[in-house]
Amino acid sequence: MIKDTIVNGPQNATHRSLYHALGLTKEEQQRPLIGIVSSYNEIVPGHMNLDKIVEAVKLGVAMAGGTPIVFPAIAVCDGIAMGHEGMKYSLVTRDLIADSTEAMVKAHGFDGLVMVPNCDKNVPGLLMAAARVNIPTIFVSGGPMLAGRVDGKKTSLSSMFEAVGAFAAGKIDEAQLTVCEENTCPTCGSCSGMYTANSMNCLTEVLGMGLRGNGTIPAVYSARIELAKHAGMQVMELVKKDIRPRDIMTAAAIRNALTADMALGCSTNSMLHLPAIANECQVEFNLDMANEISAKTPNLCHLAPAGPTYMEDLNEAGGVYAVLKELTKLDLLDTSVMTVTGKTLGENIAAAVNRDTSVIRPVENPYSSTGGIAVLRGNLAPEGGVVKRSAVLPEMLVHEGPARVFDCEEDAQAAINAGQIRPGDVVVIRYEGPKGGPGMREMLNPTSAIMGMGLGNSVALITDGRFSGATRGACIGHVSPEAASGGPIGVIQEGDIIHIDIPNNVLELKISQEELDRRMAAFVPKKKELSGYLKRYAALVSSGAKGAILNV
């Protein structure tokens, strides 16, 4: 305990004097010191309510006999960062968050932690930190946004991006665009579809690191405050029982998370974050696990952008636990794993009920018999590419067409906006990978423009960058090796035929092996002039196929 190494004894009088400077009484110094990692800020809509969550956590910790101490973590809003240089700084914050949290915990010797994240890289960054420092830890997120309402229909951020595409194509006027703008994101919280933030908050429950409802209770519900108090109280139980993150996030728990990912239809970004979390847990993660698990896991949910339901609907239907309960019917989960409740996953979900089979389909009637994410391979992606299969229109599951090649997102976006992309095309955006971007930008603007212009049933997009969870359509990201590392995506030429077969997990450049070998032998990847953090990141980051972890 911290009091044995930092507080007690004459040798620690200096430490105690600084605790007194903080206003901590002798009684508080003798209690377990619980760090509360607050991601609160005033620029991310999903974080603007975290001050209230943190206060509730503090109360819960104090009620259970601990001393709560708050310190911060940064967060980027992917929606605000989208489509410009700022997106290069999204994924890279995952490691800043993990590193800075490690530094604070190790420097100050906390007995336990409560992580309070919400959006995008904030959640996986703190899960990585939890595994790395490995002291008793629990998570409570800020919760999802309520869906918007436009013309009597529920909407979310992906609807907004597609509305911009529809406006560019002349399908709606400026007045209609303004109605969408003012009504799509009506509350605080992580954007209301199964995007990256909500995917990772749901998977935090599956991993066993959050209490029931962590991923689905809406941000504006009072139940979210109650959840935070319970998290504050429960961390004290974890400290007493010495239950640590690596006791919870085992190989079996990570397989459970990947299985639930397939059933929920999570963001493709989970295929970056789960490997990175596994790496910190010292658990092996092979990208091919995705197809192995997907082959036997039914897709049960079509939350936005894949379908017309939203996080509030999933919550009312029974939440993540109800989905897990469905999966147990097929014996797809290891229910013996430990969780932050102090009970096994099986004990946690025993009483779960699926209250709405239109939101969570039963395993007897899934959307598909295979999971929501697929890894594609072929001569164009020897290390793999990732697609959110559950959000692909049936007619685009198999597609072949000419490549339209762009060396950055901005050039592709300009061509789409100018009407230069035709039905049948395969848009290729390269030099946007972890190293080449650097930072592996999300391509929500071009994918949404394609959908908004009515080309979603005839145009595919591939990139060594990545996609937002809000992306839908035949969009294949994480193509590895990336162009900047000498990958085959770098030698695609305008007009080359690209073959996509998602059911059979194939991504092929339709040229002879001899021609591919000739191009690869002559290929010299483009270099970018970099400075600051991005220069250091590009020098250290691994392939997207390995989770874009840093090689240190």
Side-chain angles (χ1 to χ4, degrees):
M1 296 291 283
I2 185 175
K3 61 177 178 289
D4 298 324
T5 57
I6 296 179
V7 176
N8 289 342
Q11 72 277 13
N12 290 318
T14 303
H15 298 148
R16 292 196 298 273
S17 72
L18 293 169
Y19 284 146
H20 284 300
L22 291 169
L24 294 179
T25 66
K26 290 181 180 180
E27 292 81 3
E28 287 174 304
Q29 293 176 39
Q30 288 299 311
R31 295 173 179 174
L33 194 66
I34 306 299
I36 302 173
V37 187
S38 171
S39 302
Y40 169 75
N41 64 49
E42 295 182 340
I43 189 62
V44 182
H47 291 218
M48 61 181 286
N49 66 320
L50 294 190
D51 55 342
K52 296 177 177 59
I53 302 296
V54 166
E55 288 303 313
V57 170
K58 288 175 66 177
L59 184 57
V61 169
M63 288 166 63
T67 299
I69 301 289
V70 179
F71 64 89
I74 64 168
V76 165
C77 176
D78 276 20
I80 294 174
M82 195 72 65
H84 57 89
E85 184 184 25
M87 180 46 68
K88 294 182 179 182
Y89 288 88
S90 173
L91 179 60
V92 305
T93 64
R94 187 183 69 181
D95 294 279
L96 281 176
I97 291 161
D99 292 349
S100 60
T101 302
E102 174 194 1
M104 287 294 290
V105 172
K106 293 294 187 181
H108 300 102
F110 294 100
D111 294 307
L113 296 170
V114 182
M115 305 293 200
V116 188
N118 210 23
C119 292
D120 298 297
K121 312 313 160 289
N122 199 245
V123 183
L126 289 178
L127 284 165
M128 290 164 64
R132 191 183 301 175
V133 300
N134 201 36
I135 64 174
T137 302
I138 193 168
F139 278 66
V140 56
S141 78
M145 184 184 293
L146 292 178
R149 300 290 193 281
V150 176
D151 296 331
K153 296 180 180 179
K154 289 184 178 180
T155 61
S156 60
L157 188 65
S158 54
S159 312
M160 190 65 240
F161 277 94
E162 290 180 20
V164 172
F167 174 74
K171 293 179 178 289
I172 63 173
D173 60 23
E174 189 169 358
Q176 291 171 297
L177 183 64
T178 299
V179 169
C180 293
E181 174 188 335
E182 293 176 349
N183 294 280
T184 293
C185 298
T187 71
C188 62
S190 49
C191 296
S192 56
M194 187 54 83
Y195 310 144
T196 304
N198 292 326
S199 295
M200 294 310 302
N201 282 327
C202 287
L203 295 184
T204 297
E205 284 189 58
V206 185
L207 284 167
M209 292 299 294
L211 299 176
R212 182 175 189 173
N214 178 74
T216 60
I217 297 172
V220 295
Y221 283 13
S222 297
R224 176 66 53 180
I225 300 295
E226 294 182 40
L227 183 72
K229 291 176 184 175
H230 283 130
M233 290 185 274
Q234 185 59 27
V235 75
M236 297 301 297
E237 289 298 312
L238 297 175
V239 170
K240 289 175 187 175
K241 296 175 181 177
D242 196 29
I243 299 174
R244 299 170 181 247
R246 276 186 252 158
D247 299 327
I248 294 170
M249 292 191 287
T250 60
I254 288 169
R255 283 187 67 90
N256 284 347
L258 190 51
T259 302
D261 186 330
M262 297 299 172
L264 286 163
C266 291
S267 164
T268 52
N269 281 312
S270 63
M271 298 307 295
L272 285 173
H273 301 322
L274 286 176
I277 295 162
N279 178 66
E280 296 289 354
C281 294
Q282 301 170 17
V283 169
E284 184 178 352
F285 189 106
N286 187 315
L287 203 61
D288 288 330
M289 289 168 57
N291 287 343
E292 172 211 335
I293 290 173
S294 178
K296 55 190 177 184
T297 305
N299 177 228
L300 306 181
C301 299
H302 266 195
L303 294 138
T309 54
Y310 296 81
M311 296 305 297
E312 63 205 65
D313 302 314
L314 179 59
N315 187 63
E316 291 167 11
V320 173
Y321 278 20
V323 175
L324 298 181
K325 188 69 173 291
E326 285 290 342
L327 294 175
T328 62
K329 295 177 182 178
L330 299 177
D331 197 27
L332 293 175
L333 300 173
D334 184 338
T335 57
S336 68
V337 293
M338 179 54 61
T339 72
V340 290
T341 66
K343 300 177 182 178
T344 66
L345 181 66
E347 290 173 303
N348 288 346
I349 67 175
V353 175
N354 182 356
R355 301 189 193 98
D356 190 339
T357 57
S358 69
V359 177
I360 305 170
R361 286 197 177 183
V363 294
E364 298 83 5
N365 180 36
Y367 283 101
S368 67
S369 60
T370 53
I373 288 177
V375 174
L376 311 187
R377 292 186 186 270
N379 65 358
L380 187 46
E383 294 179 1
V386 179
V387 63
K388 189 170 183 175
R389 174 165 45 191
S390 60
V392 178
L393 292 170
E395 59 266 37
M396 290 298 291
L397 289 170
V398 178
H399 180 76
E400 191 168 288
R404 304 298 309 280
V405 183
F406 305 93
D407 286 346
C408 66
E409 178 189 1
E410 288 84 355
D411 290 351
Q413 187 67 45
I416 295 167
N417 290 345
Q420 295 172 7
I421 304 303
R422 306 297 183 199
D425 286 348
V426 178
V427 177
V428 177
I429 307 177
R430 60 195 181 192
Y431 293 102
E432 291 286 7
K435 189 178 295 291
M440 207 177 187
R441 286 196 288 181
E442 290 185 344
M443 302 291 150
L444 182 55
N445 273 359
T447 61
S448 297
I450 287 168
M451 296 302 293
M453 291 178 170
L455 296 171
N457 63 350
S458 61
V459 171
L461 191 152
I462 69 170
T463 180
D464 52 10
R466 61 193 177 93
F467 297 113
S468 165
T471 287
R472 64 188 179 105
C475 302
I476 301 157
H478 310 193
V479 171
S480 301
E482 61 177 294
S485 295
I489 191 173
V491 301
I492 301 174
Q493 296 177 1
E494 188 81 7
D496 282 346
I497 300 301
I498 294 175
H499 176 70
I500 300 166
D501 185 344
I502 294 173
N504 290 303
N505 306 313
V506 172
L507 181 61
E508 290 279 347
L509 180 60
K510 301 285 282 187
I511 60 175
S512 69
Q513 186 61 49
E514 292 75 16
E515 173 63 11
L516 180 58
D517 291 344
R518 185 191 67 77
R519 293 187 192 181
M520 292 297 291
F523 179 39
V524 179
K526 294 181 177 181
K527 301 290 184 183
K528 294 179 181 178
E529 290 296 323
L530 300 173
S531 62
Y533 181 50
L534 291 183
K535 183 175 182 178
R536 296 195 299 276
Y537 183 86
L540 294 172
V541 71
S542 71
S543 165
K546 296 180 179 179
I549 60 174
L550 298 186
N551 295 311
V552 293

